[in-house]
Amino acid sequence: MSAATLSPEVLAKYEPVIGLEVHVQLLTASKAFCSCANHYGSAPNTNTCPVCLALPGALPVLNAQAVEFATLASLAINCEVRERSIFARKNYFYPDLPKGYQISQFDKPLSEHGWIDVPTADGTIKRIGITRLHMEEDAGKSIHDGLVDSANHTSLDLNRCGTPLAEIVSDPDMRTPDEAWEYLTRLKEILLYCAVSDCNMEEGSLRCDANVSVRLKGAPEFGTKAEVKNLNSFRYVRAALEYEIERQIEVIESGGRVIQESRLWNSAEGRSYSMRSKEQAHDYRYFPEPDLPPLIVSPEFLAEARKKLPELPEARRARMIAEYEISSKDAFTLTATREFADRFEAAAKTARNPRRVANVLLSEIGGRLNAQGLEQEQSPVSMAGIVQAADLLDEGRISSKQLKQLFDVCFEKGEDFATVYEREKPQQISDASAIEALIDQVIATNPKQVEQYRAGKKTVAGFFVGQVMKATKGQANPALLNELVTKKLEG
Ligand SMILES: [Zn+2]
């Protein structure tokens, strides 16, 4: 069966329905229910204790920091936080789950009814609902390969047992793989801004399962969904969704029925395989965790969490677009990470003209980084250097042409702006009479432009400025030159 056999006309008859379940490891110092270190990369089975190894009689104690982080994440995705939520045991057998159950939350999760806004292909914003965020613990890891005896043994590393997770379940609101990709991108960005997780997908800090079904366009009911598991990059999510949508359409078109099942994505082969029929909630025999009291999130705790919430990326971009008069695309560049946005804004505040700092950073530095294929953090010019350059430009002490030349040297030699400026100190002609003489020459040789200016076309002033700049090889003091050109033309 190959999806390539489906014509665009057939594909267009159907509408995909996508919902995502995202597991995020919380960045706490210790685990969810014991004091073991929550640390990736330790030697196998070293971060363990009777609680996370599930030895008889060991009792869980809830980590307050995990609650705080899960609450922060809940607020950031606009969920209503429940005052009283209940931990429950989710029972299933797996070798890397020594307790035989996972402590999770079931019908009374920490928070519900949230949303995040994502940009869509046509430039509009789409609101994706979030069903719930609940707290749970991670399981250990089964290691099937890479060890000496992997050929005939599976090894267990239980370091991950009891790592605190937030599971964020979206409503089935997405209709294309691109929307799913956008949703994940925005969600990850929000979580990173809140600093509740490192969201490192390679280390499994952020994992995604996708629920997907298709239905004929306009059909009132959802089709039968399949769950695709093991999606450890956004690229795989997109590829797996594309594959699954076409697979289901093909099944239906050939007269078959989609079955409810879990499927495992194989990125190497670019296809998914049926894993097992999908569990229903009742298969897990959930019941309230008898060893933990209900989790009470008091109004005071919630108010404290709200205070700790940073300005979130979407709001920050909207504010920066207004404040620095930049485009939406530029706002995305400046807010790529919270750390970078913070550094930019702290620096911009110290400048004469914060907007000019944004401008210099985006056009001059950004352009050069792009051209050389460098990341922002590889820039030879520091934020302080950008501010210094913007201020010199703003004061008219260097021309924009000189600025470009100085930045060229910075990038050529890998030196910061202050160093290059000190050494090269561009010559500047600030002698009014010398500049006036040059303007007189340009006026004398361009009567047509003078006429245009005097007839009301004031933008022609730029022509005269440009000509004098050219004559001085960019060394005329730009502020003074502008002033004198206007004076001469008006006079
Ligand atoms: Zn432990």
Side-chain angles (χ1 to χ4, degrees):
M1 176 171 62
S2 146
T5 57
L6 290 169
S7 69
E9 291 75 30
V10 171
L11 286 172
K13 286 191 337 201
Y14 292 88
E15 177 182 62
V17 174
I18 301 163
L20 297 174
E21 292 171 16
V22 173
H23 287 88
V24 201
Q25 286 183 353
L26 300 175
L27 208 54
T28 53
S30 58
K31 293 187 183 181
F33 302 111
C34 61
S35 56
C36 290
N38 172 22
H39 179 251
Y40 179 87
S42 299
N45 301 305
T46 51
N47 298 330
T48 55
C49 74
V51 174
C52 54
L53 291 176
L55 301 190
L59 289 172
V61 177
L62 180 59
N63 180 338
Q65 195 178 37
V67 178
E68 185 191 315
F69 284 176
T71 304
L72 271 176
S74 296
L75 294 173
I77 54 175
N78 305 294
C79 280
E80 295 160 21
V81 177
R82 193 187 285 275
E83 191 166 350
R84 185 174 188 273
S85 64
I86 303 290
F87 285 101
R89 289 190 182 179
K90 180 181 182 181
N91 297 282
Y92 63 97
F93 172 78
Y94 214 73
D96 58 24
L97 186 71
K99 285 209 289 274
Y101 61 85
Q102 200 180 359
I103 301 179
S104 181
Q105 293 185 312
F106 181 48
D107 56 346
K108 296 201 171 47
L110 179 67
S111 65
E112 294 170 290
H113 312 307
W115 48 265
I116 58 177
D117 284 338
V118 303
T120 61
D122 63 9
T124 57
I125 294 292
K126 179 166 176 178
R127 182 157 290 185
I128 308 293
I130 289 167
T131 315
R132 57 192 268 145
L133 179 152
H134 67 252
M135 297 182 68
E136 61 181 28
E137 59 176 337
D138 213 339
K141 255 190 238 175
S142 299
I143 300 161
H144 305 290
D145 43 43
L147 298 179
V148 193
D149 54 356
S150 286
N152 43 18
H153 287 90
T154 286
S155 301
L156 293 176
D157 177 4
L158 300 180
N159 280 347
R160 202 176 68 179
C161 274
T163 296
L165 296 176
E167 178 172 343
I168 299 164
V169 182
S170 85
D171 292 340
D173 283 352
M174 287 156 271
R175 295 292 174 268
T176 65
D178 281 345
E179 277 179 23
W181 194 86
E182 273 300 331
Y183 168 82
L184 287 171
T185 306
R186 301 282 74 86
L187 178 61
K188 178 179 167 184
E189 185 183 55
I190 290 169
L191 295 167
L192 284 172
Y193 263 63
C194 294
V196 297
S197 173
D198 63 17
C199 294
N200 185 329
M201 293 191 85
E202 273 151 41
E203 296 179 357
S205 311
L206 189 151
R207 311 196 289 271
C208 178
D209 299 334
N211 287 299
V212 53
S213 63
V214 299
R215 60 178 167 186
L216 282 170
K217 274 191 183 144
E221 307 203 327
F222 290 150
T224 305
K225 67 180 177 187
E227 184 183 37
V228 190
K229 291 180 141 350
N230 197 28
L231 301 170
N232 54 10
S233 88
F234 290 3
R235 213 154 39 83
Y236 294 164
V237 173
R238 177 145 47 189
L241 285 171
E242 281 166 359
Y243 174 86
E244 184 58 20
I245 289 163
E246 297 191 355
R247 186 191 69 83
Q248 292 186 12
I249 293 175
E250 180 124 6
V251 168
I252 296 169
E253 282 287 313
S254 56
R257 276 178 52 228
V258 174
I259 47 173
Q260 182 157 342
E261 61 182 347
S262 295
R263 299 180 67 88
L264 201 59
W265 177 246
N266 183 316
S267 56
E269 295 177 31
R271 57 162 297 177
S272 61
Y273 289 93
S274 179
M275 238 171 108
R276 54 171 190 257
S277 65
K278 167 104 176 93
E279 309 80 3
Q280 306 282 320
H282 63 248
D283 292 329
Y284 290 116
R285 299 292 190 274
Y286 280 98
F287 63 85
E289 165 61 64
D291 291 336
L292 286 168
L295 169 58
I296 306 296
V297 175
S298 68
E300 296 74 36
F301 184 89
L302 204 55
E304 276 306 305
R306 228 177 261 287
K307 266 191 244 162
K308 287 182 188 161
L309 208 59
E311 183 181 25
L312 293 169
E314 207 58 50
R316 188 165 198 173
R317 279 191 282 272
R319 176 178 61 72
M320 285 170 74
I321 287 169
E323 206 169 315
Y324 302 101
E325 295 175 0
I326 53 177
S327 69
S328 161
K329 186 170 161 275
D330 287 343
F332 271 98
T333 307
L334 292 180
T335 55
T337 64
R338 179 178 161 190
E339 188 269 339
F340 181 65
D342 286 348
R343 267 199 306 127
F344 159 71
E345 292 213 86
K349 260 196 207 106
T350 66
R352 289 166 51 98
N353 180 348
R355 257 177 250 147
R356 201 183 288 280
V357 177
N359 232 303
V360 168
L361 172 57
L362 290 162
S363 58
E364 297 302 331
I365 302 296
R368 282 171 179 76
L369 290 173
N370 277 344
Q372 299 193 11
L374 297 176
E375 296 296 326
Q376 193 70 56
E377 58 267 26
Q378 296 168 295
S379 172
V381 181
S382 66
M383 215 50 103
I386 294 171
V387 170
Q388 185 189 8
D391 280 352
L392 287 167
L393 200 59
D394 208 62
E395 291 162 9
R397 286 164 57 198
I398 56 173
S399 66
S400 53
K401 186 169 176 203
Q402 288 170 332
L403 177 91
K404 285 177 201 294
Q405 288 164 345
L406 291 169
F407 279 149
D408 282 342
V409 177
C410 292
F411 274 77
E412 228 166 81
K413 304 204 164 162
E415 292 173 335
D416 203 349
F417 183 80
T419 314
V420 174
Y421 178 72
E422 273 312 304
R423 189 177 59 226
E424 318 251 322
K425 272 274 169 66
Q427 295 287 320
Q428 194 170 62
I429 305 168
S430 292
D431 173 357
S433 60
I435 295 176
E436 273 178 304
L438 287 164
I439 298 172
D440 287 339
Q441 269 175 33
V442 179
I443 285 179
T445 47
N446 295 283
K448 211 170 79 199
Q449 280 81 354
V450 176
E451 214 171 285
Q452 282 174 348
Y453 182 90
R454 292 188 176 144
K457 201 174 168 205
K458 302 289 179 198
T459 50
V460 180
F463 166 79
F464 292 96
V465 171
Q467 292 298 307
V468 175
M469 270 298 183
K470 207 165 142 194
T472 59
K473 298 194 170 63
Q475 291 178 352
N477 178 318
L480 184 61
L481 172 59
N482 271 304
E483 187 194 314
L484 293 175
V485 161
T486 311
K487 199 178 100 188
K488 288 272 176 190
L489 288 169
E490 296 288 341

